[in-house]
Amino acid sequence: MSPATVPPRPGAPEWDGELIVTEREVVADGVVMIALGCPDGSPLPRWDPGAHVDLVLAPTIIRQYSLCGDPGDRASWRIAVLREPESRGGSRLVHDSLIAGSTVRVRGPRNNFPLVDADRYLFIAGGIGITPIRTMIAAAEAAGREWTLLYGGRTRGAMAFLNDFDDRAPTWASSASGRVVVTPQDEAGLLDLDAHLGAPDPGAVVYCCGPEGLLDAVESKCATWPPGSLHVERFRPRGDAQSSASRFQVELRRSARTITVERDRSILQTLENAGVDVLTSCEEGTCGTCMVPVLDGIPDHRDSVLTGAERASGEQILVCVSRSHSPTLVLDL
């Protein structure tokens, strides 16, 4: 299916259609890289480092995976997926069902983790969190910017794309030497965050992707850094995403309707029950698909996508998990 056959809808991702698996490669213990292309050879939309796509693996199973290939490659999109022992079905389906020649519906790309311009970058990756970081490092290198990578994992064998970054690898011998710290937990323990985050660096930004424990630790270490220094991407929702709350009203400005969101229902569920079509995917506040403009009111943000500044502005809300601090929330719907 060609991108031109699926015209974009307002608020929809750039592209939505069937792609074919053109390559499949095991890149670490339990990690498979999948290359996806258009069956008719049509070029895919461009994307920037940090972008992800949705894979519609089953009617009720939609998962987000970071693009980890070359943004300039219009022939294929590449993702790397870790088989999760406690998978809800997504990683299992990717590993067991997506073989060369099979097709899967894909939506995107979408970018909630964009690479901002900076003098220096500190990249921190834990396990499969290396996937978006990989493309960011390539972009920083191409721009001639200073960068450092802290890459941790359970074992060397479980760390995807390690040969790209290990300073013993010939492909990065000249550019990565001294800038990459590879820390397999079974050999050296946890990443030494204090050595790199102990003192704020006003000219640097920090990008971190990985398990929740690593993200929490990095957020704590960066608490004294200048605002906007830290950028994180989460695989799972924050712990407060499903906390209890009071009922409130949602006014739909364009629809001239007002609906009540009960204590035990999300804004998204209430909108869907009222027949209001909102594009959604993860329903956990981690993908950004259901982001809606806020015209008035005070959002109670419970997502894992918006930055601190974006939350403070109150201009957007992820309706799958967030609620309202004010009695009425006015949305551009």
Side-chain angles (χ1 to χ4, degrees):
M1 181 180 294
S2 166
T5 65
V6 184
R9 293 180 290 136
E14 294 183 28
W15 195 86
D16 185 339
E18 295 287 325
L19 296 183
I20 188 171
V21 177
T22 58
E23 296 179 45
R24 176 188 169 101
E25 177 186 0
V26 175
V27 293
D29 296 340
V31 180
V32 63
M33 183 171 68
I34 302 289
L36 301 162
C38 287
D40 65 0
S42 299
L44 291 165
R46 300 181 186 278
W47 56 277
D48 295 315
H52 70 266
V53 291
D54 295 348
L55 264 60
V56 184
L57 299 165
T60 60
I61 300 180
I62 303 173
R63 298 292 183 266
Q64 295 73 43
Y65 298 107
S66 298
L67 292 169
C68 63
D70 179 1
D73 180 7
R74 303 290 301 280
S76 64
W77 285 340
R78 295 176 184 269
I79 60 172
V81 181
L82 170 68
R83 181 190 281 274
E84 297 277 4
E86 300 179 2
S87 168
R88 295 173 297 159
S91 70
R92 175 180 54 80
L93 284 171
V94 171
H95 277 254
D96 296 345
S97 302
L98 292 189
I99 60 176
S102 61
T103 60
V104 62
R105 184 181 172 190
V106 182
R107 300 194 307 223
R110 192 176 306 112
N111 199 341
N112 302 317
F113 195 42
L115 185 66
V116 301
D117 188 36
D119 295 331
R120 292 179 298 282
Y121 298 95
L122 173 58
F123 298 109
I124 305 174
I128 197 63
I130 192 63
T131 50
I133 298 299
R134 185 188 192 216
T135 62
M136 292 181 176
I137 289 176
E141 180 73 11
R145 303 302 170 84
E146 296 181 28
W147 60 268
T148 301
L149 169 66
L150 310 183
Y151 183 14
R154 298 189 313 276
T155 65
R156 285 186 183 273
M159 298 170 71
F161 309 116
L162 187 60
N163 287 341
D164 287 359
F165 307 111
D166 194 324
D167 56 15
R168 297 173 301 179
T171 55
W172 284 81
S174 60
S175 60
S177 180
R179 293 201 270 176
V180 177
V181 180
V182 175
T183 310
Q185 188 172 349
D186 64 337
E187 297 177 19
L190 300 177
L191 290 170
D192 185 1
L193 299 180
D194 287 331
H196 297 269
L197 299 175
D201 181 352
V205 293
V206 179
Y207 276 82
C208 181
C209 186
E212 196 67 19
L214 174 63
L215 298 179
D216 289 344
V218 171
E219 285 185 330
S220 177
K221 301 293 183 185
C222 289
T224 59
W225 283 55
S229 297
L230 176 61
H231 303 260
V232 301
E233 184 168 57
R234 280 181 158 78
F235 299 141
R236 293 181 175 84
R238 294 176 183 269
D240 62 353
Q242 301 294 338
S243 58
S244 61
S246 301
R247 69 195 312 224
F248 57 94
Q249 303 290 315
V250 170
E251 178 185 330
L252 311 180
R253 179 63 55 84
R254 284 191 281 125
S255 303
R257 300 174 61 186
T258 299
I259 57 178
T260 300
V261 180
E262 299 293 345
R263 293 178 176 85
D264 61 345
R265 307 292 287 177
S266 68
I267 300 176
L268 176 63
Q269 291 169 332
T270 305
L271 291 172
E272 290 178 334
N273 289 342
V276 180
D277 184 22
V278 177
L279 193 68
T280 185
S281 181
C282 73
E283 299 189 18
E284 293 183 329
T286 60
C287 73
T289 307
C290 67
M291 192 177 299
V292 173
V294 176
L295 302 179
D296 197 10
I298 306 172
D300 177 6
H301 296 293
R302 303 182 180 190
D303 64 273
S304 303
V305 173
L306 297 177
T307 65
E310 289 169 335
R311 289 181 171 217
S313 73
E315 296 177 352
Q316 304 279 348
I317 188 172
L318 272 69
V319 295
C320 66
V321 294
S322 297
R323 301 185 68 81
S324 179
H325 284 302
S326 54
T328 301
L329 196 65
V330 183
L331 304 181
D332 187 17
L333 289 171

